[in-house]
Amino acid sequence: NAGVTQTPKFQVLKTGQSMTLQCAQDMNHEYMSWYRQDPGMGLRLIHYSVGAGITDQGEVPNGYNVSRSTTEDFPLRLLSAAPSQTSVYFCASSYSMTHEQYFGPGTRLTVT
Amino acid sequence: KNQVEQSPQSLIILEGKNCTLQCNYTVSPFSNLRWYKQDTGRGPVSLTIMTFSENTKSNGRYTATLDADTKQSSLHITASQLSDSASYICVVSGLGGFGNEKLTFGTGTRLTIIP
């Protein structure tokens, strides 16, 4: 049982490049979400999904896309990277919105 | 606006000592309150989840309290160990539209245990 996995661990992008951050969970959780964590700020919700085929925007969705074709996977796409997207990104999953969330190890992204 | 404020921002204590971290919130309507531990370079790990009716909840040497009337919570760490060095994040879940829950995260307390 690997829990929540994220790849890559580190990534450096140039402004304007696109990329996909991968997230997978093997706990059969319906609820998955993406957060970014910046110094001095709490975790902020980017996008979330309550089940396969269903996604919704969080607090800071601009510049990011998500899809949920399977229960296990919830990739986050950066369409055209900007320096403001330099951050640490965490994926999380839970049985439901009211249950304990399990976080992945994070992806540290730098956009130059 | 829903807010979660934690204090202190940082704390340094000697190994073996106890400490208490504070969390005040203005989230309404309230669903539950969570405490997470985040080691440097890693994702947060859940310590406790408390609902409106729970005043106290323990997880080993960690004890969380909740006063829903004053909208305050505390996390007490007993007999601290070096491995307790981490950031502790308070998260309050409020009910959003259509019964959806919305999480509001505090900025965390950075705890350092010194030998």
Side-chain angles (χ1 to χ4, degrees):
Chain A
N1 192 332
V4 179
T5 58
Q6 291 183 239
T7 56
K9 284 193 187 308
F10 302 94
Q11 182 71 48
V12 178
L13 290 178
K14 293 190 188 307
T15 298
Q17 288 184 316
S18 62
M19 78 159 295
T20 299
L21 279 63
Q22 301 291 345
C23 173
Q25 52 91 10
D26 60 359
M27 297 173 281
N28 204 31
H29 286 165
E30 291 295 328
Y31 185 76
M32 295 187 74
S33 51
W34 276 102
Y35 296 90
R36 58 179 290 171
Q37 188 174 41
D38 301 295
M41 302 184 74
L43 283 151
R44 291 183 292 168
L45 182 65
I46 303 171
H47 285 286
Y48 67 96
S49 169
V50 297
I54 306 170
T55 63
D56 207 347
Q57 296 182 350
E59 184 183 353
V60 288
N62 292 340
Y64 308 94
N65 270 359
V66 291
S67 60
R68 185 97 179 268
S69 55
T70 68
T71 299
E72 295 77 20
D73 299 299
F74 191 42
L76 177 73
R77 279 182 286 278
L78 279 70
L79 310 172
S80 177
S84 61
Q85 293 179 304
T86 294
S87 187
V88 181
Y89 291 85
F90 289 100
C91 177
S93 76
S94 60
Y95 179 71
S96 76
M97 294 175 91
T98 59
H99 285 77
E100 171 187 9
Q101 282 188 302
Y102 294 83
F103 284 83
T107 294
R108 184 173 293 274
L109 175 69
T110 301
V111 183
T112 61
Chain B
K1 181 182 176 185
N2 289 338
Q3 284 190 310
V4 174
E5 294 190 357
Q6 294 187 243
S7 61
Q9 278 192 321
S10 62
L11 182 62
I12 302 173
I13 64 171
L14 287 173
E15 185 180 10
K17 298 295 186 185
N18 303 335
C19 67
T20 300
L21 314 180
Q22 300 290 343
C23 173
N24 296 340
Y25 62 93
T26 59
V27 176
S28 181
F30 174 86
S31 177
N32 59 69
L33 185 144
R34 313 169 184 204
W35 282 96
Y36 286 87
K37 177 188 179 190
Q38 184 176 21
D39 292 318
T40 301
R42 310 194 67 167
V45 174
S46 178
L47 294 175
T48 64
I49 297 179
M50 302 177 71
T51 61
F52 183 88
S53 59
E54 295 174 297
N55 300 116
T56 276
K57 202 158 193 178
S58 291
N59 178 354
R61 295 179 296 101
Y62 300 100
T63 299
T65 64
L66 174 64
D67 185 334
D69 291 331
T70 62
K71 297 187 177 179
Q72 295 180 322
S73 176
S74 65
L75 181 69
H76 185 75
I77 304 174
T78 304
S80 61
Q81 301 175 358
L82 295 177
S83 59
D84 292 331
S85 293
S87 287
Y88 292 84
I89 302 171
C90 176
V91 185
V92 181
S93 178
L95 290 174
F98 304 104
N100 290 327
E101 298 230 350
K102 183 180 186 300
L103 300 178
T104 303
F105 287 78
T107 56
T109 292
R110 178 71 206 173
L111 177 64
T112 303
I113 311 297
I114 56 174

